[in-house]
Amino acid sequence: MLYGLSNPHGGDIYGGGVTLDFSANTNPYGTPEGVLNEVKAALPEMHRYPDPYCRCLVDAIGEFEGVDKKYILCGSGAAELIYAYCAAVRPKTALELAPTFSEYSLGLSRVGCAVKHYYLTPDNDFRLDEHFLYHLEDTTPEAVFLCNPNNPTGALIELELLERILDFCGKSEIRLFLDECFLDLSDNGQSMKAYLRDYPNLFLLKAFTKSYGMAGIRLGYCLCSDSELLTAMAREVQPWNVSSLAQAAGIAALKEADFLNRTKELIQTERPWLKAQLEGFGFRVCPSSVNYLLFQGPTDLHRKLKEKGIAIRNCDNYPGLCSGWYRVAVRRHEENEALIAAIGGSLGV
C-alpha cells in the first residue's frame, strides 16, 4: 500500500465525498456478471495457495491471444509487471513520451535509469509522428516505452510507424516496451503480437483492469518471446503474486466477447457526444480512439467538481501538461449527462 507517499493516479474515491468517478477510465459497465460468478465460485478454495504458475490462466490467455503460452507471464496488475520489467532489464537509458503513464518512469527511477522524454505537442493533438523515429535514431536509448493508445491522450500510434520503430529497435538492440492495456477498448487498434517471435526485444503489456472492469482484483499479463527476460522478471516478484480469485476472474473474463463488444459500442456512441458537450463550453478536447478524453479547461475545474461529488483526473502532474488539462472517462449516458450538468453549473451556464 502507499505509505507517506502521494497517489499519482485517479480512482481514489475512498477519502469521502465522491459519488461519481470519472478519474478512472475503467469499463463503464463495471465487471461482467460471469466474472463475478466465477469469483464467488472460487471462494471456498481460498484456504489453498494459488497456482504459482497460473497454469489454467496461461492456457486461456494463450488461446485468447493466439500466442505460444511460453510467451506469457502473469502479474498482480500491469503495474507490477512494469516494475518487474524495469528491475529485470535495468537499462541505463530509456526514452518515453510526455505526456504518458507515470509508472514507466517511476519503475525506471528505482533502478537508476536516466529517463529522457519525447514531448508531444498540442499542435497535432499530442499524436506521435515520424519525427519520433528520427529522434530515436539520434539518441539510441537502451529501452523505449510506448503506450498504444496513449494515456492520457487517447491517441493510437499508426501501425506503419510502430512497425518502423520496432524494426529500428530490433536492428539497434533496443528493447521496445509497448503498453496495450487499452487496446481492446479502442477503435480498430491493432496489436503487435504477430511480431513477437521475430522480435525478442518486443514486450507487450496487457491487463484485465480496463476492458473487464477488474481494477480491484489486480490482474495483468505480458507477452514476450524472450524467455530469459520473463524468468528474470519472475524472480522479482513473490511466487504467489496472482491470487486464486484473480486467476478465476481472468479465465472467466476471456470468455466475455459479447460484453466487450457491447462496451465498445457504448464508447463509440458516448465519446463523440461527450466531446461535443465539452467543446460546447469552449474547452479544447483532443481526439481520442478509446474510452477517455483529454481536454483543457479552467484551472480550478477539478476542485469545483469535487465539491459536487464528481472526480475527474487532474493532469497537471503529467510531464508535458500543465494546470487546466484534465482526463475524463467515457461512462454511461446518464453519468455523462450528470458530468456535463455539473460542469455547466460550475461555469454558471
Side-chain angles (χ1 to χ4, degrees):
M1 72 176 194
L2 289 176
Y3 185 90
L5 302 170
S6 62
N7 175 27
H9 304 295
D12 185 3
I13 61 171
Y14 303 99
V18 175
T19 57
L20 192 54
D21 184 18
F22 280 82
S23 69
N25 35 25
T26 55
N27 194 303
Y29 286 127
T31 311
E33 185 176 355
V35 173
L36 296 176
N37 290 337
E38 286 301 314
V39 170
K40 292 175 185 176
L43 289 175
E45 298 298 313
M46 281 182 61
H47 66 289
R48 302 183 187 278
Y49 283 103
D51 178 358
Y53 297 100
C54 299
R55 292 172 178 89
C56 293
L57 176 58
V58 166
D59 287 345
I61 293 171
E63 183 177 353
F64 177 81
E65 296 285 5
V67 302
D68 192 320
K69 64 183 182 180
K70 292 184 295 185
Y71 294 1
I72 301 166
L73 181 68
C74 298
S76 179
E80 181 182 65
L81 294 168
I82 293 171
Y83 283 84
Y85 178 90
C86 294
V89 174
R90 307 189 76 84
K92 293 182 174 62
T93 59
L95 179 65
E96 69 173 16
L97 304 181
T100 198
F101 187 49
S102 63
E103 292 298 327
Y104 314 140
S105 59
L106 291 173
L108 289 165
S109 68
R110 287 190 177 186
V111 299
C113 178
V115 182
K116 302 292 185 181
H117 291 102
Y118 180 85
Y119 285 88
L120 305 172
T121 67
D123 297 341
N124 65 344
D125 295 316
F126 299 101
R127 294 187 179 278
L128 191 69
D129 57 29
E130 64 179 6
H131 293 290
F132 177 78
L133 187 60
Y134 305 144
H135 181 79
L136 183 58
E137 292 171 348
D138 290 338
T139 56
T140 58
E142 292 182 27
V144 174
F145 285 69
L146 297 176
C147 187
N148 188 41
N150 193 25
N151 178 10
T153 68
L156 282 166
I157 305 172
E158 292 184 2
L159 181 61
E160 181 184 4
L161 178 57
L162 272 177
E163 290 171 337
R164 292 172 64 190
I165 293 171
L166 175 60
D167 185 63
F168 175 79
C169 288
K171 292 176 179 176
S172 305
E173 298 184 349
I174 298 172
R175 290 191 178 273
L176 177 58
F177 181 109
L178 185 59
D179 184 340
E180 294 187 345
C181 286
F182 285 101
L183 198 65
D184 288 343
L185 293 180
S186 69
D187 299 343
N188 303 314
Q190 298 183 57
S191 174
M192 296 290 283
K193 61 187 177 183
Y195 297 90
L196 288 168
R197 184 178 64 179
D198 295 332
Y199 291 90
N201 65 311
L202 176 62
F203 179 95
L204 302 181
L205 184 67
K206 305 271 188 172
F208 292 85
T209 303
K210 315 299 183 182
S211 300
Y212 302 102
M214 289 167 49
I217 208 162
R218 310 310 304 138
L219 181 60
Y221 62 97
C222 61
L223 307 176
C224 184
S225 63
D226 185 347
S227 59
E228 291 185 4
L229 170 61
L230 298 184
T231 300
M233 289 177 61
R235 292 193 184 103
E236 298 296 332
V237 299
Q238 55 111 340
W240 301 288
N241 60 324
V242 182
S243 73
S244 55
L245 300 183
Q247 292 183 42
I251 293 167
L254 295 175
K255 302 173 184 177
E256 295 286 346
D258 290 343
F259 176 84
L260 203 56
N261 289 333
R262 185 160 56 93
T263 301
K264 291 179 69 172
E265 290 174 359
L266 175 71
I267 293 167
Q268 290 169 1
T269 299
E270 289 299 315
R271 188 182 62 228
W273 182 88
L274 185 57
K275 183 175 185 290
Q277 298 299 310
L278 292 170
E279 289 174 333
F281 294 126
F283 299 164
R284 175 174 184 170
V285 187
C286 296
S288 172
S289 298
V290 73
N291 62 322
Y292 49 88
L293 290 166
L294 179 69
F295 72 93
Q296 189 174 29
T299 56
D300 60 348
L301 181 63
H302 61 295
R303 287 187 288 270
K304 289 184 176 180
L305 291 178
K306 185 68 175 294
E307 293 172 357
K308 299 175 182 290
I310 297 177
I312 63 175
R313 179 64 161 91
N314 178 21
C315 293
D316 64 0
N317 68 332
Y318 279 91
L321 295 178
C322 58
S323 296
W325 282 100
Y326 304 100
R327 188 196 68 202
V328 291
V330 176
R331 303 200 58 79
R332 288 174 289 183
H333 188 68
E334 61 272 20
E335 295 171 312
N336 296 331
E337 284 186 318
L339 172 65
I340 294 302
I343 293 175
S346 69
L347 298 175
V349 297

